[in-house]
């Protein structure tokens, strides 16, 4: 019985080792070149035939039926001959040029770019959502416009009432002295503006605090008591001093016939903090002026104002012949410059400047209960647009004065309100 595998018996077997000769003897050590097996080569007797010796990766000879061409090589054992599995002279084996590792695969840049973009978008999304909730939590929604009675119907577009109060709340004695705020008790309004945001252009209207108005019937914001209209004439800022934001809104709506959708208020300290957080605001002053009441001392020309200087600039009225009317113009000019400064890439793309600015601004704002961050953002971009020439800024039309109070031009005011309610381009000019 022949125990040799098919093709290894018969006359094809010679006397050489490796040809299947029954009398085969190993060659001398001088001839035999053993293959260096890698550390993972299975030991003989584990179901794998012993590896033959090689000469340059081939069998001992070029015989037709030897290991080189006929035996294991042609029956599915190429791995033992070439060293591709258990080590040998192949490029991936221990004798390869890379010290045992296969050829390094070229980097897949398309895959890397794809995952890099996905990671970046994910980080931006998470950061944006976190920033939104952080900013939303800072809004002081403590003005309830639902307490305002007998309101006119809302027109097209959105009307914001923006108020700068002279509240000293939170200011130390040293800060009051530094900011020239005085120590008057209570709160009054140093500035009042209506910003209309609509499809036909945005309009910013300053309401002089010395405007002569009628105090209408109203319900006390804290007492709940109804106070009847007696025809009493007061300055507009007296309404705020009497019963705060709700009576101010009620008085403006009654005297103008314009529905106020949202209320935004900022105090002395908050205003100065915002200016300092943004790194100061650059403004071009047409004519220098001084005012011992506000602490203003400015020369003409372009200059960057810090928080203290900015507060003095927007509060000054005693230095001008037009008094409150000139002050409202300066307030519009500065707020537009501030909005433009905040919206620059140097602020928006710099987290070390953006977050302190947002923090200072949102902490110091008082808004109505229905105000969202989206509404606040819309107001901010509208103010920036007005400063860039995309909208209209004006004072309330004035026809004269009585007892030191400024009287509104009723005909022009009626036209102005009609255009705002219908979201039309404003054609009325103010003082």
């Amino acid at each position: 019985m022949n125990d040799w595998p098919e093709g290894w018996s018969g006359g094809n077997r010679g006397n050489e080792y490796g040809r299947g000769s029954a009398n085969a003897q190993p060659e001398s050590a001088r001839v035999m070149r053993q293959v260096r097996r890698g550390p993972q080569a299975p030991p003989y007797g584990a179901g794998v035939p012993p590896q033959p010796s090689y000469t340059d990766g081939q069998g001992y000879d070029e015989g037709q039926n030897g290991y080189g061409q006929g035996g294991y090589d042609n029956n599915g054992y190429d791995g033992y001959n070439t060293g591709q599995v258990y080590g040998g002279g192949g490029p991936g084996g221990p004798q390869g040029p890379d010290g045992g590792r296969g050829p390094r695969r070229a980097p897949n840049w398309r895959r890397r770019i794809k995952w890099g973009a996905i990671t970046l978008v994910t980080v931006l999304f998470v950061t944006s959502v976190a920033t939104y909730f952080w900013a939303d939590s800072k809004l002081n929604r403590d003005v309830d416009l639902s307490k305002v009675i007998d309101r006119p119907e809302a027109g097209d577009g959105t009307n914001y009432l923006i108020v700068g109060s002279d509240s000293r709340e939170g200011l130390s004695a040293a800060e009051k002295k530094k900011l020239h705020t005085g120590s008057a008790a209570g709160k009054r309004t140093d500035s009042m503006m209506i910003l209309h945001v609509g499809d036909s252009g945005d309009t910013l209207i300053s309401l002089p605090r010395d405007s002569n108005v009628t105090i209408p019937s109203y319900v006390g914001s804290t007492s709940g008591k109804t106070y009847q209209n007696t025809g009493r004439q007061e300055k507009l800022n007296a309404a705020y001093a009497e019963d705060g934001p709700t009576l101010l809104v009620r008085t403006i709506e009654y005297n103008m016939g314009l529905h106020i959708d949202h209320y935004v208020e900022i105090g002395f300290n908050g205003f100065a903090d915002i200016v300092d957080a943004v790194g100061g605001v650059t403004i071009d002053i047409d004519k220098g002026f001084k005012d011992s009441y506000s602490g203003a001392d400015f020369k003409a020309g372009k200059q960057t104002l810090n928080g203290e200087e900015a507060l003095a600039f927007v509060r000054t009225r005693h230095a001008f012949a037009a008094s409150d009317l000139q002050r409202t113009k300066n307030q519009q000019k500065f707020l537009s410059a501030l909005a433009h400064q905040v919206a620059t890439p140097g602020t928006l793309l710099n987290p070390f400047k953006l977050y302190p600015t947002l923090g200072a601004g949102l902490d110091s704002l008082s808004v109505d209960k229905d105000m969202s961050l989206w509404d606040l953002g819309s107001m901010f971009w509208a103010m920036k647009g007005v400063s860039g020439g995309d909208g209209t800024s004006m004072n309330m039309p004035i026809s004269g004065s009585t007892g030191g109070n400024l009287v509104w031009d009723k005909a022009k005011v009626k036209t102005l309100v009609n255009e705002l309610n219908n979201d039309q381009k404003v054609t009325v000019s103010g003082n």
Side-chain angles (χ1 to χ4, degrees):
M1 182 176 180
N2 189 350
D3 294 330
W4 289 95
E6 183 181 353
W8 285 23
S9 62
N12 290 333
R13 296 197 307 272
N15 293 327
E16 301 92 316
Y17 180 70
R19 294 259 185 148
S21 172
N23 299 321
Q25 297 294 330
E27 293 182 353
S28 65
R30 180 184 59 82
V31 178
M32 293 180 63
R33 297 176 59 191
Q34 298 297 328
V35 176
R36 296 173 61 190
R37 292 190 294 273
Q40 296 181 352
Y44 294 127
V48 179
Q51 288 191 356
S53 300
Y54 287 85
T55 302
D56 298 325
Q58 303 296 329
Y60 276 104
D61 55 42
E62 299 294 330
Q64 295 182 352
N65 295 312
Y67 282 102
Q69 296 183 8
Y72 289 6
D73 206 31
N74 291 336
N75 288 280
Y77 293 96
D78 294 66
Y80 299 112
N81 247 2
T82 62
Q84 294 176 1
V85 177
Y86 295 109
Q95 295 177 352
D98 55 0
R101 297 182 180 178
R104 179 174 297 177
R105 181 179 298 176
N108 189 333
W109 289 109
R110 180 177 297 178
R111 180 185 178 89
R112 291 187 180 184
I113 292 173
K114 180 181 113 174
W115 283 107
I118 291 174
T119 301
L120 178 61
V121 170
T122 302
V123 170
L124 290 176
F125 175 77
V126 172
T127 301
S128 299
V129 171
T131 299
Y132 177 88
F133 284 104
W134 169 77
D136 188 73
S137 68
K138 283 185 165 294
L139 277 179
N140 301 307
R141 296 183 175 94
D142 49 12
V143 178
D144 189 359
L145 295 183
S146 67
K147 294 181 179 180
V148 180
I149 63 174
D150 299 333
R151 309 190 68 185
E153 290 192 13
D156 296 329
T158 304
N159 299 315
Y160 298 86
L161 177 58
I162 305 170
V163 174
S165 76
D166 65 356
S167 171
R168 282 85 171 166
E169 185 177 354
L171 292 177
S172 65
E175 288 173 326
K176 291 177 183 178
K177 182 178 181 180
K178 177 182 177 183
L179 297 176
H180 298 271
T181 64
S183 299
K187 295 197 300 184
R188 284 158 293 277
T189 53
D190 261 16
S191 62
M192 290 162 284
M193 301 179 186
I194 293 175
L195 175 65
H196 174 82
V197 179
D199 295 332
S200 298
D202 305 322
T203 305
L204 184 62
I205 307 164
S206 286
L207 310 177
R209 75 171 194 170
D210 293 340
S211 297
N212 190 77
V213 294
T214 299
I215 302 297
S217 300
Y218 70 96
V219 175
S221 58
T222 55
S223 67
K225 181 180 177 180
T226 299
Y227 298 87
Q228 296 297 331
N229 180 4
T230 61
R232 178 165 51 104
Q233 303 291 299
E234 296 283 358
K235 291 182 179 180
L236 182 57
N237 69 334
Y240 181 92
E242 185 171 327
D243 198 48
T246 53
L247 179 55
L248 178 62
V249 170
R250 167 75 175 128
T251 302
I252 290 173
E253 289 186 340
Y254 177 83
N255 285 268
M256 287 187 68
L258 182 72
H259 181 89
I260 301 299
D261 298 292
H262 292 294
Y263 179 92
V264 180
E265 178 186 326
I266 187 169
F268 280 167
N269 197 34
F271 180 81
D273 286 346
I274 293 175
V275 175
D276 286 335
V278 81
V281 175
T282 300
I283 192 170
D284 194 356
I285 299 177
D286 299 327
K287 185 178 181 180
F289 58 89
K290 290 184 179 182
D291 182 12
S292 59
Y293 291 93
S294 66
D297 186 3
F298 299 108
K299 296 181 180 180
K302 184 175 290 187
Q303 50 205 286
T304 300
L305 308 185
N306 61 26
E308 178 185 348
E309 294 166 337
L311 189 59
F313 180 81
V314 299
R315 293 183 61 225
T316 297
R317 65 185 179 115
H318 296 284
F320 310 122
S323 188
D324 205 31
L325 290 177
Q326 181 60 45
R327 176 166 66 173
T328 57
K329 292 179 180 180
N330 285 346
Q331 289 169 349
Q332 285 187 353
K333 183 176 183 177
F334 186 85
L335 289 179
S336 296
L338 175 60
H340 185 270
Q341 177 70 25
V342 171
T344 59
T347 299
L348 296 178
L349 300 180
N350 183 355
F352 297 103
K353 185 176 287 187
L354 175 62
Y355 285 97
T357 301
L358 285 175
L362 296 174
D363 274 340
S364 58
L365 291 180
S366 291
V367 300
D368 65 272
K369 293 184 180 298
D370 295 326
M371 173 76 83
S372 68
L373 281 179
W374 180 265
D375 295 321
L376 195 61
S378 176
M379 183 196 80
F380 172 79
W381 286 109
M383 290 190 66
K384 179 180 180 295
V386 170
S387 70
D390 295 333
T392 302
S393 59
M394 57 182 287
N395 270 331
M396 200 68 171
I398 303 297
S399 62
S401 63
T402 175
N405 297 347
L406 299 173
V407 178
W408 293 351
D409 188 319
K410 293 183 179 180
K412 287 186 176 182
V413 169
K414 183 177 180 179
T415 301
L416 173 63
V417 170
N418 184 64
E419 291 173 340
L420 294 177
N421 278 331
N422 292 287
D423 198 18
Q424 299 172 341
K425 186 175 178 60
V426 171
T427 60
V428 177
S429 60
N431 297 73

